[in-house]
Amino acid sequence: MIGSQKTLSLTGGEMDVAQMVKHCQMPLLVASGKMELEEKVSIFKKMVFKFYKPIMYNDKPWPENITTPKDFKVTDPQIFEMERDRLKIIINEFQGKALNMHWPKHPYFGSFSTDQWGRMQYKHLDHHLRQFGV
């Protein structure tokens, strides 16, 4: 079981486990087309992100110091059980979309295939669960 008091220092702040679980929902919502990012990315940044795009879905774990987009930062207190249950629902909805070939474009990286979206979401969840020792 994850200790609810554990916090993790991240680039740009700290998250406790409940905040991390809330944070993990957001990229899944973006992939499902249920959340749009407010942060606007310049054309130059999008060009730079194209070089990093394969890191998002390759077979290597994400680096520890990967930057969190502003829209994905969770600073308000969260209730772990509620966020855990919501994350389960969102993961199941994302998995159910796997046969849908109409994925939204990622706001930073552009188009992803079904396989790439899945790998990226797995890597994101794995990244944070490892940080919390799960």
Side-chain angles (χ1 to χ4, degrees):
M1 179 169 161
I2 301 172
S4 62
Q5 298 301 315
K6 183 174 181 177
T7 60
L8 179 67
S9 294
L10 301 172
T11 305
E14 286 190 354
M15 285 193 295
D16 64 25
V17 69
Q19 291 167 325
M20 178 271 291
V21 173
K22 174 78 171 187
H23 162 83
C24 285
Q25 298 168 21
M26 295 173 182
L28 288 158
L29 292 171
V30 168
S32 298
K34 294 182 177 182
M35 179 181 175
E36 290 188 24
L37 301 184
E38 293 179 17
E39 181 181 3
K40 300 301 177 206
V41 180
S42 69
I43 299 287
F44 176 74
K45 274 190 173 181
K46 284 184 182 184
M47 288 174 31
V48 171
F49 284 145
K50 287 196 185 266
F51 289 108
Y52 292 100
K53 184 176 178 178
I55 293 170
M56 303 307 291
Y57 57 81
N58 66 17
D59 292 334
K60 297 178 184 173
W62 281 358
E64 288 298 316
N65 60 349
I66 196 164
T67 303
T68 302
K70 290 178 187 174
D71 291 324
F72 290 167
K73 291 185 179 178
V74 179
T75 56
D76 296 337
Q78 304 295 317
I79 300 170
F80 173 75
E81 291 79 11
M82 276 181 44
E83 299 308 329
R84 178 200 59 211
D85 293 346
R86 182 160 159 72
L87 179 59
K88 287 179 187 179
I89 291 166
I90 293 169
I91 288 171
N92 286 328
E93 288 173 352
F94 176 80
Q95 188 276 333
K97 186 177 168 63
L99 298 176
N100 180 353
M101 299 313 241
H102 303 288
W103 293 93
K105 283 191 173 187
H106 190 280
Y108 300 156
F109 299 104
S111 297
F112 285 109
S113 68
T114 298
D115 183 63
Q116 290 168 339
W117 271 116
R119 286 175 180 256
M120 183 169 58
Q121 298 307 318
Y122 165 80
K123 284 181 69 167
H124 182 245
L125 290 167
D126 181 66
H127 174 76
H128 288 297
L129 292 173
R130 285 178 187 266
Q131 286 177 325
F132 280 87
V134 179

